Amino acid sequence: MKGRPLIPFAIIALLGIVLMVAMSAIGVDQRASMDEEEEEPVEIGDPVEYGQGIVESSCISCHANDLGGTASAPAINDLEGELSHDEIVDIVTNGQGNMPAFGSSLQPEEIDAVADYLLSLSE
């Protein structure tokens, strides 16, 4: 070891690099399988009823129990004529103002159901 002190360090470094590459490959494979699982569509049934469940669990904390709005969140119980279905979908997906985006936590079908429910409140 006196004549070649760098060889043990080089072996350790090489093993570390090989381990990092192997772990990265495993992580990429696991992420790909997770992405495939997330793409399964949600069974919605009646979109208005399904959307109501999402709104009751996610929206009333800011928009009030009757969805009539609060000081920090507008009323969303009478959107007919104010916002189209596509505009509601865009706001729920991407957020707006103080409202967070739900595009990463809800699937597109679920967001459509929320828009259907909110527009049904105006009928």
Side-chain angles (χ1 to χ4, degrees):
M1 190 132 140
K2 289 182 182 180
R4 298 181 185 199
L6 294 179
I7 291 178
F9 296 113
I11 292 172
I12 292 171
L14 183 62
L15 287 174
I17 291 170
V18 169
L19 184 61
M20 283 190 327
V21 169
M23 296 299 286
S24 294
I26 291 170
V28 168
D29 186 49
Q30 287 177 344
R31 179 62 191 177
S33 67
M34 287 173 50
D35 287 342
E36 290 173 8
E37 291 174 9
E38 292 175 4
E39 293 177 5
E40 290 184 25
V42 176
E43 292 293 325
I44 289 182
D46 178 20
V48 172
E49 186 177 309
Y50 192 89
Q52 180 180 4
I54 294 173
V55 169
E56 288 175 353
S57 66
S58 301
C59 305
I60 61 173
S61 60
C62 295
H63 293 277
N65 286 339
D66 64 352
L67 304 176
T70 63
S72 62
I76 57 172
N77 57 359
D78 189 16
L79 297 177
E80 186 72 39
E82 290 185 38
L83 295 173
S84 69
H85 183 275
D86 291 340
E87 290 171 323
I88 296 170
V89 167
D90 181 57
I91 292 170
V92 174
T93 302
N94 301 310
Q96 183 178 31
N98 292 332
M99 183 173 154
F102 286 90
S104 61
S105 59
L106 295 174
Q107 292 187 14
E109 297 85 6
E110 294 174 303
I111 294 173
D112 280 334
V114 168
D116 290 342
Y117 171 67
L118 292 176
L119 288 174
S120 77
L121 296 175
S122 302
E123 298 173 350

